[in-house]
Amino acid sequence: MTVTDNTTNRLDSLGASGDGPSFAILDEESKREIRRALLQAVAVPGYQVPFGSREMPVARGWGSGGLQVTLAIVGPDDTVKIIDQGDDEGVNAVNLRRLVVSSTGIPETTEAREASIIQSRHRIPEDELTATQTLVLQVPVPEPLRGIERDVRELARMHAEADYSRMWVSLYEDKVRNGVITQSTGYPCLVNGRYVVATTPIPRWDIPRLHMSQFLTLFGAGREKRVYAIPPHTIVEPLTFDDVPFEVERIEGAACRLCGSTDSFLVDSSGDVDSWACSDTAWCRARRSQG
Amino acid sequence: MRGPSPIPTPDPVLTVNGLGKIYGRDDAGTIDRTGSDAGSARDPITGAIVAAWDVNFEVAAGEAIGIVGESGSGKSTVLRCIAGDLEATSGDVRLSTHMEGRSNVLLADPATRRRMRIDQLSVVYQDPSEGLALSVTAGGNIADPLTAAGVRSFAKIRERASELLSRTEVPLNRMDDIVRNFSGGMRQRVQIARALANKPRILLLDEPTTGLDASVAAGVLDLIRGLLEELDLAAVVVSHDFSVIEMLTNRCIVMHHGRVVESALTDQLLEDPHHPYSQRLVSAARA
Amino acid sequence: MTVEQAVASAAPVREEDGLILDVRELTKEFVLHNIDGRSVSGLSGVSFRLSAGEHIALAGTSGAGKSSLLRAIYRTYKPTTGNIFFTLEDGNTIDLVGLSDQEVTMLRGRQIGYVSQFLRAQPRRSALDLVTRAGVYRGMGRDEARDMAATSLRRLNIGEHLWDVHVSVLSGGEKQRVNLAAGLMSPPRLLLLDEPVSALDPENRESAIDLIAELSQSGVAVLAVFHDLDAISRLATRIIVLEKGTVTRSGPTDHILPSLTVGDVQP
């Protein structure tokens, strides 16, 4: 079953619900509006679609955008996994998950393979995601040119005319000043050869996963009121010069102190020097339980 | 319309016909009520300002034409209309580099005109900060047009930037300094280097040395003159200063209150000006 | 008059005669708008002919119109009335009066050369550069022009140590010789000389005069202003005497020269 079929079925199965508290907090009108924005986003990969961001029981800047996307697409047959910094048990992830589950009654999981919707800030799970899964990323700053231009009309023009020369100059300056392009999270990528997007705040490590993926990725920014999408099988190229290779984070000789992995995204663990652990806690746990 | 001349002259790269710019509300009598003879560019009845009207000239490769006049003459207005910085009220401007001169660029949409500024037509402004990003390095300012033209190799960008800075006599050890830290004369040289990045055929210069100290200006003028010859550019030089016009151009037009009052070979204008205003201007310059 | 009309009304091209310049009733009046609009006459009804290999010297007191005539032919002055018929390299004749600025530009430096005592506006050029440029402008390739420039400068005794020096630091005489070298690159059909040797010391003057004589021998038509009876006697085939902008006398050198005094050629 393709993602399109899946989405269509999901939409079809959601009727206008009648009385009582809404399924998934949002009323049907709101959901329809957000879904329309999402369809536009999928139709024009990388293009930031404005939408009417609602007041959520989560402060702006804490995932309200991602939450609205999830709530707009969730249906009774979904299973949701929500992580923050790769960890299901982060305070924020727990809060968001509770909101989704309590307003929908759908099951939750920490296993990426079992979830149909994965909402995340800052990571893509290490597991291979499939065509039946949707990744929803929380984005604080959807505008990749944010540090470079303030005027909104000029920003709109730059995207409209694919005039990204200021971005290139900024990469040039970075390389000149630092010897390498130093941008770590939120690395700007060219999607479908047309729009430059902010991949905030996932690390470089996760960026190659977006390229020609099997799964759909939706980005939601509540405070900035934008959604955008990277559909499956879309070309995603991190912006870099032809002769300056894009490199993911790698620490020489580092391994997870819990599961021993050298091939997953590692973060500082327990504050000790040279002590690393997998960022994706569920994946790490699963690895360990397999012995 | 003349028949074919026994003296073949090269085809123009830039052709300007009937260029005009009016601010405010004009009516049928505005043009007659303004201009050199009227003594003002402002229409006393409607208040409209005819900043430029009925300007015509052409420039071939390797030629530089001057537009000379005092401030308020309309000369910078003409330059900015050709560049696309200002929207002209009327006129037909053709570039041999754009659809082989078959299309009036004034009718092209803003995005198309911006693209022309990448590799067909460049502008050097009187104030270098208008043509440069001050918080970016000298090399970075040159990287801008290069990447806009699709160059994606860091090494090539560095190489071309070095080449240009070297040609404009900017010390290479300053390539990675931000332009804000450069003197006025150096900033102007970086602006020129940037303007030439993608080898445009047409170069517009608006008072390129005004505001610079005399000795600094002399060096920049010398540089410009050398570049014009070497690169076979079609250039338009706007200046109120006859010594600049004399050094850089071989033909020029004189503007007064928005109108062209005389069009001549530069040396002829300086030694045998015809229009009363030209005569005043030349004798004042000689004084 | 249009170019076509001018060509049609021109004297028939007489290739055998090698007629290069045919000036008819050339008149130049200056209207001084900023004084009181008065007219000042510079030239009045000047007529003469110049053929290939001929050297006409213009004589007359200061203000007689000698330089004005050269300037009017070169189009630094725009003639008021009259015709200046010029035979092009391809044999066609055109009237320089009425040519467009672009057409004049094409002729200048290629078919019509001009050397004056004043170097125009190029102080920060090196001598070799300046002369090379003149050659390039005349249509030579850069390397060829450079070689010829070197030869030219040598002939005018400008030492190699001066070639890369900015012209502004040269002496008056050196400047004049550089100017001459530039003007003599790739000889034009018509050469206009305005006191080209006045600032030269005797030895350099000799070289310059020899060079100019050679040009005439190779077929260049020369119209010159010299303040030097000796130079005139050695170079000129004919002399035209101007007074207050009109031609008072003209004829072969040996006819006119005896009656000329130093006062007649005073700068």
Side-chain angles (χ1 to χ4, degrees), chain A residues 139-166:
Chain A
V139 176
V141 180
E143 180 51 70
L145 302 167
R146 152 86 150 246
I148 293 165
E149 176 58 63
R150 312 186 89 121
D151 187 279
V152 289
R153 280 169 312 180
E154 177 62 9
L155 284 169
R157 182 201 71 79
M158 288 160 86
H159 283 292
E161 293 177 20
D163 176 7
Y164 294 117
S165 53
R166 304 260 304 277

mmCIF file of all heavy atoms in Angstrom, chain A residues 139-166:
data_model
loop_
_atom_site.group_PDB
_atom_site.id
_atom_site.type_symbol
_atom_site.label_atom_id
_atom_site.label_comp_id
_atom_site.label_asym_id
_atom_site.label_seq_id
_atom_site.Cartn_x
_atom_site.Cartn_y
_atom_site.Cartn_z
ATOM 1 N N VAL A 139 9.731 21.886 14.256
ATOM 2 C CA VAL A 139 10.729 22.831 13.733
ATOM 3 C C VAL A 139 10.576 24.188 14.414
ATOM 4 O O VAL A 139 9.539 24.819 14.281
ATOM 5 C CB VAL A 139 10.533 23.016 12.214
ATOM 6 C CG1 VAL A 139 11.486 24.061 11.658
ATOM 7 C CG2 VAL A 139 10.715 21.697 11.495
ATOM 8 N N PRO A 140 11.572 24.662 15.134
ATOM 9 C CA PRO A 140 11.435 26.006 15.713
ATOM 10 C C PRO A 140 11.571 27.108 14.654
ATOM 11 O O PRO A 140 10.800 28.054 14.643
ATOM 12 C CB PRO A 140 12.586 26.086 16.723
ATOM 13 C CG PRO A 140 13.523 25.001 16.360
ATOM 14 C CD PRO A 140 12.778 23.967 15.576
ATOM 15 N N VAL A 141 12.552 26.954 13.784
ATOM 16 C CA VAL A 141 12.787 27.993 12.769
ATOM 17 C C VAL A 141 12.725 27.364 11.383
ATOM 18 O O VAL A 141 13.680 26.732 10.953
ATOM 19 C CB VAL A 141 14.159 28.668 12.976
ATOM 20 C CG1 VAL A 141 14.395 29.745 11.916
ATOM 21 C CG2 VAL A 141 14.269 29.273 14.361
ATOM 22 N N PRO A 142 11.622 27.525 10.685
ATOM 23 C CA PRO A 142 11.483 26.886 9.378
ATOM 24 C C PRO A 142 12.259 27.598 8.257
ATOM 25 O O PRO A 142 12.411 27.051 7.175
ATOM 26 C CB PRO A 142 9.983 26.979 9.100
ATOM 27 C CG PRO A 142 9.541 28.174 9.849
ATOM 28 C CD PRO A 142 10.405 28.264 11.066
ATOM 29 N N GLU A 143 12.703 28.794 8.504
ATOM 30 C CA GLU A 143 13.326 29.570 7.437
ATOM 31 C C GLU A 143 14.844 29.365 7.391
ATOM 32 O O GLU A 143 15.555 29.812 8.287
ATOM 33 C CB GLU A 143 13.010 31.055 7.664
ATOM 34 C CG GLU A 143 13.607 31.996 6.626
ATOM 35 C CD GLU A 143 13.283 31.559 5.203
ATOM 36 O OE1 GLU A 143 12.108 31.668 4.813
ATOM 37 O OE2 GLU A 143 14.203 31.097 4.495
ATOM 38 N N PRO A 144 15.353 28.697 6.349
ATOM 39 C CA PRO A 144 16.788 28.426 6.294
ATOM 40 C C PRO A 144 17.621 29.694 6.132
ATOM 41 O O PRO A 144 18.795 29.724 6.481
ATOM 42 C CB PRO A 144 16.935 27.527 5.056
ATOM 43 C CG PRO A 144 15.746 27.857 4.211
ATOM 44 C CD PRO A 144 14.649 28.195 5.163
ATOM 45 N N LEU A 145 17.009 30.753 5.597
ATOM 46 C CA LEU A 145 17.756 31.977 5.352
ATOM 47 C C LEU A 145 17.631 32.947 6.514
ATOM 48 O O LEU A 145 17.997 34.115 6.409
ATOM 49 C CB LEU A 145 17.224 32.642 4.071
ATOM 50 C CG LEU A 145 17.297 31.767 2.828
ATOM 51 C CD1 LEU A 145 16.463 32.374 1.713
ATOM 52 C CD2 LEU A 145 18.726 31.630 2.365
ATOM 53 N N ARG A 146 17.130 32.434 7.612
ATOM 54 C CA ARG A 146 16.827 33.315 8.728
ATOM 55 C C ARG A 146 18.012 34.156 9.188
ATOM 56 O O ARG A 146 17.881 35.335 9.473
ATOM 57 C CB ARG A 146 16.301 32.468 9.883
ATOM 58 C CG ARG A 146 16.551 33.047 11.217
ATOM 59 C CD ARG A 146 15.492 34.033 11.668
ATOM 60 N NE ARG A 146 15.439 33.965 13.112
ATOM 61 C CZ ARG A 146 14.407 33.519 13.798
ATOM 62 N NH1 ARG A 146 13.318 33.187 13.188
ATOM 63 N NH2 ARG A 146 14.479 33.417 15.084
ATOM 64 N N GLY A 147 19.211 33.606 9.285
ATOM 65 C CA GLY A 147 20.334 34.403 9.781
ATOM 66 C C GLY A 147 20.848 35.397 8.752
ATOM 67 O O GLY A 147 21.710 36.217 9.021
ATOM 68 N N ILE A 148 20.327 35.309 7.540
ATOM 69 C CA ILE A 148 20.923 36.028 6.419
ATOM 70 C C ILE A 148 20.069 37.206 5.963
ATOM 71 O O ILE A 148 20.568 38.192 5.452
ATOM 72 C CB ILE A 148 21.109 35.034 5.249
ATOM 73 C CG1 ILE A 148 22.173 34.006 5.640
ATOM 74 C CG2 ILE A 148 21.493 35.705 3.967
ATOM 75 C CD1 ILE A 148 22.192 32.803 4.755
ATOM 76 N N GLU A 149 18.759 37.102 6.166
ATOM 77 C CA GLU A 149 17.877 38.167 5.683
ATOM 78 C C GLU A 149 16.707 38.283 6.653
ATOM 79 O O GLU A 149 16.158 37.282 7.096
ATOM 80 C CB GLU A 149 17.367 37.806 4.274
ATOM 81 C CG GLU A 149 16.353 38.778 3.696
ATOM 82 C CD GLU A 149 16.889 40.203 3.601
ATOM 83 O OE1 GLU A 149 17.866 40.442 2.871
ATOM 84 O OE2 GLU A 149 16.322 41.085 4.289
ATOM 85 N N ARG A 150 16.307 39.525 6.937
ATOM 86 C CA ARG A 150 15.209 39.693 7.874
ATOM 87 C C ARG A 150 13.903 40.052 7.188
ATOM 88 O O ARG A 150 12.842 39.756 7.668
ATOM 89 C CB ARG A 150 15.531 40.829 8.843
ATOM 90 C CG ARG A 150 16.903 40.740 9.450
ATOM 91 C CD ARG A 150 17.070 41.811 10.489
ATOM 92 N NE ARG A 150 16.596 41.258 11.759
ATOM 93 C CZ ARG A 150 17.359 41.155 12.836
ATOM 94 N NH1 ARG A 150 18.583 41.578 12.811
ATOM 95 N NH2 ARG A 150 16.891 40.659 13.943
ATOM 96 N N ASP A 151 14.014 40.742 6.060
ATOM 97 C CA ASP A 151 12.811 41.254 5.421
ATOM 98 C C ASP A 151 11.992 40.119 4.826
ATOM 99 O O ASP A 151 12.476 39.377 3.984
ATOM 100 C CB ASP A 151 13.222 42.250 4.328
ATOM 101 C CG ASP A 151 12.043 42.954 3.716
ATOM 102 O OD1 ASP A 151 11.395 42.347 2.843
ATOM 103 O OD2 ASP A 151 11.763 44.097 4.112
ATOM 104 N N VAL A 152 10.742 39.988 5.234
ATOM 105 C CA VAL A 152 9.929 38.846 4.793
ATOM 106 C C VAL A 152 9.659 38.854 3.292
ATOM 107 O O VAL A 152 9.589 37.814 2.653
ATOM 108 C CB VAL A 152 8.583 38.736 5.551
ATOM 109 C CG1 VAL A 152 8.808 38.305 6.977
ATOM 110 C CG2 VAL A 152 7.816 40.032 5.489
ATOM 111 N N ARG A 153 9.521 40.071 2.744
ATOM 112 C CA ARG A 153 9.248 40.110 1.302
ATOM 113 C C ARG A 153 10.467 39.664 0.517
ATOM 114 O O ARG A 153 10.372 38.966 -0.490
ATOM 115 C CB ARG A 153 8.841 41.518 0.875
ATOM 116 C CG ARG A 153 7.383 41.819 1.185
ATOM 117 C CD ARG A 153 7.106 43.283 1.005
ATOM 118 N NE ARG A 153 8.134 44.084 1.674
ATOM 119 C CZ ARG A 153 8.157 45.392 1.691
ATOM 120 N NH1 ARG A 153 7.209 46.079 1.090
ATOM 121 N NH2 ARG A 153 9.110 46.038 2.323
ATOM 122 N N GLU A 154 11.634 40.062 0.993
ATOM 123 C CA GLU A 154 12.864 39.663 0.321
ATOM 124 C C GLU A 154 13.059 38.156 0.440
ATOM 125 O O GLU A 154 13.453 37.490 -0.496
ATOM 126 C CB GLU A 154 14.046 40.432 0.925
ATOM 127 C CG GLU A 154 15.414 40.079 0.381
ATOM 128 C CD GLU A 154 15.614 40.353 -1.097
ATOM 129 O OE1 GLU A 154 14.753 40.996 -1.738
ATOM 130 O OE2 GLU A 154 16.634 39.891 -1.653
ATOM 131 N N LEU A 155 12.731 37.610 1.606
ATOM 132 C CA LEU A 155 12.817 36.153 1.788
ATOM 133 C C LEU A 155 11.890 35.447 0.807
ATOM 134 O O LEU A 155 12.266 34.465 0.168
ATOM 135 C CB LEU A 155 12.431 35.764 3.216
ATOM 136 C CG LEU A 155 13.469 36.034 4.294
ATOM 137 C CD1 LEU A 155 12.877 35.868 5.670
ATOM 138 C CD2 LEU A 155 14.672 35.111 4.127
ATOM 139 N N ALA A 156 10.680 35.956 0.704
ATOM 140 C CA ALA A 156 9.720 35.342 -0.222
ATOM 141 C C ALA A 156 10.246 35.404 -1.641
ATOM 142 O O ALA A 156 10.148 34.446 -2.414
ATOM 143 C CB ALA A 156 8.367 36.051 -0.120
ATOM 144 N N ARG A 157 10.826 36.537 -1.993
ATOM 145 C CA ARG A 157 11.384 36.681 -3.336
ATOM 146 C C ARG A 157 12.517 35.691 -3.571
ATOM 147 O O ARG A 157 12.601 35.058 -4.620
ATOM 148 C CB ARG A 157 11.898 38.111 -3.553
ATOM 149 C CG ARG A 157 12.438 38.337 -4.961
ATOM 150 C CD ARG A 157 13.377 39.528 -5.035
ATOM 151 N NE ARG A 157 14.653 39.280 -4.376
ATOM 152 C CZ ARG A 157 15.650 38.585 -4.884
ATOM 153 N NH1 ARG A 157 15.524 38.022 -6.065
ATOM 154 N NH2 ARG A 157 16.770 38.428 -4.212
ATOM 155 N N MET A 158 13.400 35.565 -2.603
ATOM 156 C CA MET A 158 14.552 34.678 -2.768
ATOM 157 C C MET A 158 14.091 33.238 -3.026
ATOM 158 O O MET A 158 14.603 32.557 -3.904
ATOM 159 C CB MET A 158 15.468 34.757 -1.537
ATOM 160 C CG MET A 158 16.230 36.076 -1.480
ATOM 161 S SD MET A 158 16.870 36.494 0.147
ATOM 162 C CE MET A 158 18.405 35.633 0.146
ATOM 163 N N HIS A 159 13.110 32.802 -2.269
ATOM 164 C CA HIS A 159 12.601 31.444 -2.493
ATOM 165 C C HIS A 159 11.873 31.359 -3.824
ATOM 166 O O HIS A 159 12.036 30.385 -4.562
ATOM 167 C CB HIS A 159 11.645 31.034 -1.366
ATOM 168 C CG HIS A 159 12.346 30.651 -0.099
ATOM 169 N ND1 HIS A 159 13.125 29.529 0.006
ATOM 170 C CD2 HIS A 159 12.377 31.252 1.113
ATOM 171 C CE1 HIS A 159 13.610 29.445 1.241
ATOM 172 N NE2 HIS A 159 13.170 30.487 1.934
ATOM 173 N N ALA A 160 11.104 32.378 -4.136
ATOM 174 C CA ALA A 160 10.317 32.348 -5.374
ATOM 175 C C ALA A 160 11.217 32.304 -6.599
ATOM 176 O O ALA A 160 10.929 31.636 -7.583
ATOM 177 C CB ALA A 160 9.390 33.564 -5.443
ATOM 178 N N GLU A 161 12.330 33.041 -6.544
ATOM 179 C CA GLU A 161 13.222 33.100 -7.704
ATOM 180 C C GLU A 161 14.367 32.102 -7.593
ATOM 181 O O GLU A 161 15.273 32.125 -8.406
ATOM 182 C CB GLU A 161 13.774 34.522 -7.860
ATOM 183 C CG GLU A 161 12.704 35.513 -8.242
ATOM 184 C CD GLU A 161 13.246 36.943 -8.328
ATOM 185 O OE1 GLU A 161 14.471 37.125 -8.457
ATOM 186 O OE2 GLU A 161 12.425 37.866 -8.265
ATOM 187 N N ALA A 162 14.314 31.247 -6.546
ATOM 188 C CA ALA A 162 15.421 30.318 -6.290
ATOM 189 C C ALA A 162 16.748 31.071 -6.293
ATOM 190 O O ALA A 162 17.756 30.597 -6.811
ATOM 191 C CB ALA A 162 15.441 29.186 -7.319
ATOM 192 N N ASP A 163 16.726 32.263 -5.695
ATOM 193 C CA ASP A 163 17.919 33.088 -5.625
ATOM 194 C C ASP A 163 18.569 32.862 -4.261
ATOM 195 O O ASP A 163 18.317 33.601 -3.311
ATOM 196 C CB ASP A 163 17.524 34.559 -5.810
ATOM 197 C CG ASP A 163 18.733 35.483 -5.647
ATOM 198 O OD1 ASP A 163 19.872 34.985 -5.520
ATOM 199 O OD2 ASP A 163 18.527 36.708 -5.652
ATOM 200 N N TYR A 164 19.396 31.844 -4.180
ATOM 201 C CA TYR A 164 20.004 31.473 -2.902
ATOM 202 C C TYR A 164 21.457 31.912 -2.795
ATOM 203 O O TYR A 164 22.229 31.376 -2.003
ATOM 204 C CB TYR A 164 19.888 29.960 -2.693
ATOM 205 C CG TYR A 164 18.461 29.496 -2.520
ATOM 206 C CD1 TYR A 164 17.865 28.632 -3.431
ATOM 207 C CD2 TYR A 164 17.697 29.923 -1.439
ATOM 208 C CE1 TYR A 164 16.559 28.201 -3.269
ATOM 209 C CE2 TYR A 164 16.388 29.501 -1.270
ATOM 210 C CZ TYR A 164 15.827 28.639 -2.185
ATOM 211 O OH TYR A 164 14.532 28.216 -2.020
ATOM 212 N N SER A 165 21.835 32.898 -3.586
ATOM 213 C CA SER A 165 23.250 33.288 -3.583
ATOM 214 C C SER A 165 23.701 33.769 -2.207
ATOM 215 O O SER A 165 24.834 33.522 -1.817
ATOM 216 C CB SER A 165 23.529 34.336 -4.646
ATOM 217 O OG SER A 165 22.651 35.418 -4.521
ATOM 218 N N ARG A 166 22.828 34.404 -1.439
ATOM 219 C CA ARG A 166 23.254 34.860 -0.111
ATOM 220 C C ARG A 166 23.561 33.671 0.793
ATOM 221 O O ARG A 166 24.435 33.720 1.656
ATOM 222 C CB ARG A 166 22.175 35.720 0.522
ATOM 223 C CG ARG A 166 21.775 36.911 -0.347
ATOM 224 C CD ARG A 166 22.423 38.202 0.093
ATOM 225 N NE ARG A 166 22.143 38.514 1.463
ATOM 226 C CZ ARG A 166 21.052 39.118 1.903
ATOM 227 N NH1 ARG A 166 20.119 39.464 1.047
ATOM 228 N NH2 ARG A 166 20.899 39.360 3.173
#
